[in-house]
Amino acid sequence: MKRLIPGVAALLLLASGGIAAAQDPVRIATEGAYPPFNFTQPDGKVAGLEVDLANALCERMKRPCTVVAQEWDGIIPGLLAKKYDAIMATMNITPERAKAIGFSIPYMVVPAYFVAPANSTIDGSPASLRGKTIGAQVSTTHSRYVEKHLGSEATLKTYDTASNLLADLKAGRLDAAITTGATASDWVKGDGGKSVKLVGQPVIDAEVFGPGIGVGLRKEDTALKQSFDEAIRAVVQDGTLARIAARYVDFSITP
């Protein structure tokens, strides 16, 4: 019996370590500047659709969850530097990003839209955008769409945040802007002066926008990816995702 005690103790130590590891918080980064999906409240805390969804996913995974704000242009480098474990920041799954990081299965699909001044004749078609100055957030699928479809036929101006993009559009420094449909809708709804409007139809391009928006992960974190995938399937199937989305948007985001 005495010979077994060290082995039993080792097993117990390993087991307790495994339990502790399973309870480690999942650190999730979001931009905190892309309403209604993620935004920063006056008290400095991040909130929004993706923050609520992150908490629901962590609940399904039975893991504590910490959501932190990270500026968009540093969000992938921060993940790779292990400042956090995952990204939930309305990030489309694209082949270019997949070269650097891994992704969960999609947790939502959100079309893009063009927004233009209320008196504009732009209708969202490539023909109406040629020769124009178009704004998009930097390093996004929206800026990539403009580059692909208009190239040198339009001037692309990029911004660090969606709020700065909107400010320049309202100030007349842009002919149009491209962003997600929900953000575009919020801009128009919140525009007391009726100075901007949605133009054209939803912008769709599978090559640019990919299959949807997913959780960004380090490629080696395969167990965490599996946990997120299972949790996403669960919140889709039981209606949790739809209920969360209904608090923020008036259309379906279900992948």
Side-chain angles (χ1 to χ4, degrees), residues 185-207:
S185 178
D186 270 8
W187 286 357
V188 173
K189 288 177 182 176
D191 179 25
K194 305 296 182 184
S195 61
V196 297
K197 63 180 179 180
L198 292 177
V199 294
Q201 300 298 313
V203 179
I204 298 171
D205 183 328
E207 181 183 351

Side-chain angles (χ1 to χ4, degrees), residues 47-204:
L49 191 159
E50 286 175 297
V51 176
D52 289 356
L53 179 57
N55 288 320
L57 294 177
C58 287
E59 182 179 343
R60 295 299 189 285
M61 294 189 289
K62 302 187 186 306
R63 297 275 298 272
C65 181
T66 301
V67 183
V68 298
Q70 167 64 52
E71 291 184 0
W72 177 259
D73 59 359
I75 206 162
I76 288 180
L79 175 69
L80 296 177
K82 299 188 176 181
K83 289 175 61 178
Y84 32 81
D85 307 302
I87 297 169
M88 289 184 66
T90 324
M91 182 175 283
N92 286 83
I93 302 166
T94 66
E96 184 177 357
R97 289 174 180 149
K99 293 176 183 177
I101 64 173
F103 283 97
S104 70
I105 61 173
Y107 61 82
M108 64 181 181
V109 175
V110 182
Y113 261 95
F114 281 102
V115 183
N119 60 355
S120 173
T121 58
I122 290 172
D123 61 12
S125 66
S128 71
L129 292 163
R130 290 190 183 104
K132 307 298 186 182
T133 300
I134 304 168
Q137 196 167 358
V138 67
S139 301
T140 60
T141 50
H142 304 128
S143 61
R144 174 72 186 92
Y145 180 88
V146 175
E147 291 170 342
K148 175 186 174 183
H149 289 274
L150 291 164
S152 61
E153 294 183 298
T155 299
L156 173 63
K157 190 173 181 180
T158 57
Y159 295 80
D160 56 347
T161 66
S163 59
N164 288 336
L165 170 59
L166 174 61
D168 259 16
L169 179 65
K170 285 188 170 185
R173 289 185 280 269
L174 295 171
D175 296 305
I178 182 173
T179 186
T180 63
T183 300
S185 178
D186 270 8
W187 286 357
V188 173
K189 288 177 182 176
D191 179 25
K194 305 296 182 184
S195 61
V196 297
K197 63 180 179 180
L198 292 177
V199 294
Q201 300 298 313
V203 179
I204 298 171

